[in-house]
């Protein structure tokens, strides 16, 4: 795998994709892309500065009239072709995503890459279904209808945990609606975002429709968000950085879409299928090494099942295989960096003072010592207001707490500033329906945790932000709603004019 290209050769011309071609940055500062499984540098490039951001925005602005003026069918056809190109390059995308992120190859192969191809195909179809309100004579004397029009240049910022999928989630609905895009991926994981833009050009999308600038957040990111020619900003990342993005965006009164942090509850009622809940908790907590805003992080288990659930999760976690991400048998890869591993370890070490580490809680040695690995970790005995329960850890750590009544369980699950995702586990239809109504989260799963589909929206409540990725709902983020109203009377002096001049 990966023999189709060498990273250094593929991006020898630089890591900025502007107006349909690669070019170097000019900031004077360099960034290394590191394989977190080994600590090896796989690519080094010069970061974008404000000049590259300006050039990318200019290219997107130049491309906007032609792209927005294309018919929905024309945009749809090119996006279908784009999906085909991505599918044909799937092996290279799998290799690059696992290389820069440390994702197990089976996750990249079965989730990240096919999910992105599917998302592209979905928006190829959705491009032809930009719907407005039906025309009607709402006033009696006028015909009204609603147009959905593209906004202009969208400046998006994506995180490092799902570099390919997040690039797709930001770019696809925007371009399907007729906008042009400048995306700033995380500077430590730029490879697949650049490849995504290259594939779009190969599919025939016009130069400048999709541009990628790889620079630091304080420089390139803030300049992009505050750029006067950028009419909308879409950001995925931490709540703390999201607040800064909102401050900058407010200075130019641009539209804002934020998908921020999470601390997803995993609510297990006493009639749940215990085996299903145990399996779901381990999968939901450990996917992408726990580096997922929707990962199961707080399991609340009704007391009759609590002990058996803890034992089952601990036992299953201990079977999870850490190893080389390119080994098909590897279950869990490294965290994105040693810095992130040390951050996760810090949470666990501090928790030892007030809680019990049932299993895990350490970095492995031996052949994995050079990577950013951390063992699956289960914690019990923590208080609801403790750091390990309230803070977003972003690692393979699950905390389990007991509850007694249904009211208490739902209250504890909602006791968080976040509201991105949650799940509830029960065989009782009425119990499950209550959970879907009362859990304050943008996505609520019943008897599962994590699956997403292109047809359904993704976005949060409260401090998890606002706006939706994926689905036709995302067009609400990337289109301007315009009311058009025609007079049907052909009367020069209208009755309502008397409120301004004259009498009836």
């Amino acid at each position: 795998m990966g023999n189709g290209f060498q990273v250094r050769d593929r991006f020898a011309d630089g890591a900025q994709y502007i107006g349909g071609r690669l070019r170097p940055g000019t900031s004077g500062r360099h960034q290394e892309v590191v394989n977190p499984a080994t600590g090896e540098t796989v690519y080094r490039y010069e970061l974008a500065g404000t000049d590259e951001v300006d050039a990318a925005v200019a290219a997107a602005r130049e491309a906007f009239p032609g792209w927005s003026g294309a018919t929905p069918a024309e945009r749809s056809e090119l996006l279908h072709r784009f999906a085909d190109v991505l599918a044909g390059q799937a092996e290279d995308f799998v290799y690059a995503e696992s290389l820069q992120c440390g994702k197990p190859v089976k996750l990249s192969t079965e989730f990240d890459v096919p999910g992105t191809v599917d998302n592209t195909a979905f928006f190829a179809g959705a491009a032809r279904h930009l719907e407005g309100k039906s025309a009607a004579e709402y006033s009696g004397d006028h015909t009204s209808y609603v147009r959905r029009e593209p906004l202009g240049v969208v400046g998006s910022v994506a995180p490092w945990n799902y570099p390919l999928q997040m690039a797709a989630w930001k770019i696809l609905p925007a371009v399907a609606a007729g906008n042009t895009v400048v995306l700033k991926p995380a500077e430590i994981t730029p490879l697949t975002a650049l490849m995504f833009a290259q594939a779009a050009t190969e599919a025939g999308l016009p130069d400048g429709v999709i541009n990628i600038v790889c620079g630091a957040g304080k420089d390139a990111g803030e300049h992009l968000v505050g750029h006067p020619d950028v009419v909308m900003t879409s950001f995925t990342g931490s709540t703390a950085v999201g607040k800064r993005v909102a401050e900058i965006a407010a200075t130019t009164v641009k539209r804002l879409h934020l998908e921020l942090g999470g601390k997803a509850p995993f609510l297990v009622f006493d009639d749940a299928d215990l085996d299903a809940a145990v399996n779901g908790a381990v999968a939901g907590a450990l996917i992408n090494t726990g580096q997922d805003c929707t990962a199961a992080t707080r399991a609340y288990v009704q007391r009759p099942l609590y002990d058996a659930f803890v034992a089952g999760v601990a036992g299953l976690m201990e079977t999870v295989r850490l190893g080389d991400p390119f080994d098909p048998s590897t279950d869990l890869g490294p965290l994105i960096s040693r810095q992130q591993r040390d951050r996760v370890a810090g949470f666990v070490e501090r928790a030892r003072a007030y809680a019990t580490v049932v299993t895990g809680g350490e970095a492995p040695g031996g052949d994995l010592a050079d990577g950013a690995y951390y063992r699956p970790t289960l914690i019990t005995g923590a208080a609801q207001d403790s750091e390990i329960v309230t803070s977003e850890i972003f690692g393979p750590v699950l905390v389990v707490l007991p509850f007694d009544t249904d009211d208490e369980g739902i209250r504890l699950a909602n006791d968080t500033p976040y509201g991105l995702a949650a799940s509830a586990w029960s065989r009782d239809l009425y119990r499950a329906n209550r959970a879907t109504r009362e859990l304050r989260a943008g996505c609520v799963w019943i008897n599962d945790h994590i699956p997403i589909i292109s047809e359904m929206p993704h976005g949060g409540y409260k401090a998890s932000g606002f706006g939706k990725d994926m689905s036709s709902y995302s067009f609400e983020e990337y289109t301007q709603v315009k009311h058009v109203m025609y007079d049907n009377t052909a009367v020069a002096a209208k009755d309502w004019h008397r409120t301004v001049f004259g009498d009836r």
Side-chain angles (χ1 to χ4, degrees):
M1 177 172 291
N3 293 330
F5 72 92
Q6 296 294 322
V7 172
R8 290 180 176 88
D9 294 339
R10 177 71 173 259
F11 304 113
D13 292 333
Q16 317 303 327
Y17 197 77
I18 299 171
R21 66 181 182 87
L22 289 170
R23 54 186 275 185
T26 60
S27 69
R29 291 176 293 108
H30 289 80
Q31 174 69 47
E32 293 182 344
V33 179
V34 176
N35 177 354
T38 63
E40 173 194 6
T41 297
V42 298
Y43 181 57
R44 186 174 185 269
Y45 68 96
E46 189 166 358
L47 289 163
T50 56
D51 287 348
E52 284 71 52
V53 173
D54 289 343
V57 171
R61 188 177 179 185
E62 182 179 353
F64 176 72
W67 184 247
S68 62
T71 67
E74 289 168 338
R75 290 199 293 269
S76 176
E77 181 181 357
L78 288 172
L79 289 171
H80 276 299
R81 199 179 303 166
F82 187 14
D84 291 340
V85 171
L86 292 171
Q89 298 176 6
E91 187 173 323
D92 284 349
F93 276 97
V94 166
Y95 172 74
E97 194 76 336
S98 289
L99 184 70
Q100 68 180 353
C101 298
K103 293 176 186 282
V105 70
K106 64 180 180 179
L107 180 64
S108 296
T109 300
E110 298 178 24
F111 182 69
D112 297 78
V113 174
T116 300
V117 174
D118 181 74
N119 216 236
T120 308
F122 171 81
F123 280 107
R128 302 183 73 159
H129 296 280
L130 284 173
E131 296 180 353
K133 205 168 190 177
S134 299
E137 287 67 50
Y138 295 99
S139 76
D141 291 336
H142 306 82
T143 295
S144 288
Y145 68 89
V146 169
R147 290 175 56 89
R148 281 197 175 275
E149 298 179 346
L151 300 167
V153 178
V154 177
S156 295
V157 181
W160 48 256
N161 56 333
Y162 290 101
L164 177 59
Q165 286 199 319
M166 292 296 99
W169 287 15
K170 298 300 180 197
I171 291 170
L172 292 169
V175 300
N179 301 284
T180 55
V181 176
V182 179
L183 173 76
K184 193 202 87 66
E187 59 268 33
I188 61 174
T189 55
L191 303 182
T192 47
L194 291 165
M195 293 167 61
F196 189 76
Q198 289 177 313
T201 298
E202 186 176 333
L205 273 73
D207 294 346
V209 171
I210 299 173
N211 307 274
I212 310 292
V213 290
C214 299
K218 284 289 186 182
D219 301 321
E222 292 198 358
H223 190 63
L224 177 63
V225 172
H227 201 291
D229 290 335
V230 170
V231 298
M232 175 185 168
T233 289
S234 176
F235 171 81
T236 294
S238 71
T239 299
V241 178
K243 291 177 180 179
R244 175 61 180 155
V245 169
E247 290 174 358
I248 298 169
T251 63
T252 52
V253 199
K254 55 172 53 76
R255 186 176 294 193
L256 187 61
H257 169 204
L258 299 174
E259 198 264 85
L260 307 176
K263 190 71 179 176
F266 188 99
L267 186 60
V268 182
F269 294 105
D270 57 13
D271 67 328
D273 182 324
L274 179 61
D275 288 341
V278 166
N279 285 317
V282 174
L286 300 186
I287 188 170
N288 204 37
T289 318
Q291 299 168 127
D292 188 309
C293 294
T294 63
T297 59
R298 301 176 291 135
Y300 296 98
V301 184
Q302 207 151 22
R303 209 169 291 275
L305 292 185
Y306 178 80
D307 289 340
F309 180 87
V310 170
V313 169
L316 187 53
M317 278 187 170
E318 288 166 3
T319 70
V320 171
R321 299 164 295 185
L322 283 68
D324 177 2
F326 291 102
D327 183 339
S329 67
T330 292
D331 298 319
L332 196 74
L335 290 150
I336 191 64
S337 66
R338 293 178 185 173
Q339 180 183 10
Q340 178 65 10
R341 180 198 60 192
D342 293 345
R343 179 181 179 274
V344 171
F347 278 105
V348 175
E349 291 308 307
R350 291 190 295 274
R352 293 184 191 275
Y354 55 80
T356 300
V357 177
V358 178
T359 189
E362 63 182 3
D367 293 340
L368 302 181
D370 290 336
Y373 290 89
Y374 197 76
R375 295 195 186 282
T377 300
L378 179 65
I379 294 176
T380 61
Q384 174 69 8
D385 61 355
S386 61
E387 179 191 52
I388 203 76
V389 175
T390 59
S391 297
E392 187 174 27
I393 300 168
F394 229 55
V397 179
L398 177 65
V399 185
V400 186
L401 300 92
F403 70 93
D404 291 304
T405 67
D406 289 15
D407 288 348
E408 181 190 15
I410 291 174
R411 178 180 61 79
L412 291 171
N414 283 332
D415 183 23
T416 176
Y418 300 109
L420 189 57
S423 66
W425 299 72
S426 173
R427 292 184 174 99
D428 186 299
L429 174 64
Y430 297 99
R431 227 174 192 177
N433 275 338
R434 180 191 177 187
T436 65
R437 293 192 305 272
E438 297 186 16
L439 288 173
R440 303 294 294 165
C443 177
V444 177
W445 294 284
I446 299 298
N447 296 324
D448 209 343
H449 194 108
I450 284 296
I452 54 174
I453 50 175
S454 296
E455 291 84 356
M456 288 291 111
H458 177 86
Y461 286 26
K462 303 188 290 185
S464 291
F466 47 83
K468 299 299 179 184
D469 289 313
M470 300 198 298
S471 81
S472 59
Y473 291 96
S474 63
F475 284 132
E476 296 176 8
E477 313 299 320
Y478 296 101
T479 55
Q480 184 69 262
V481 173
K482 177 186 286 185
H483 170 214
V484 177
M485 196 175 200
Y486 284 91
D487 169 60
N488 293 328
T489 65
V491 174
K494 295 179 171 55
D495 186 55
W496 72 266
H497 292 174
R498 66 188 170 80
T499 62
V500 181
F501 57 84
D503 299 316
R504 183 184 295 274

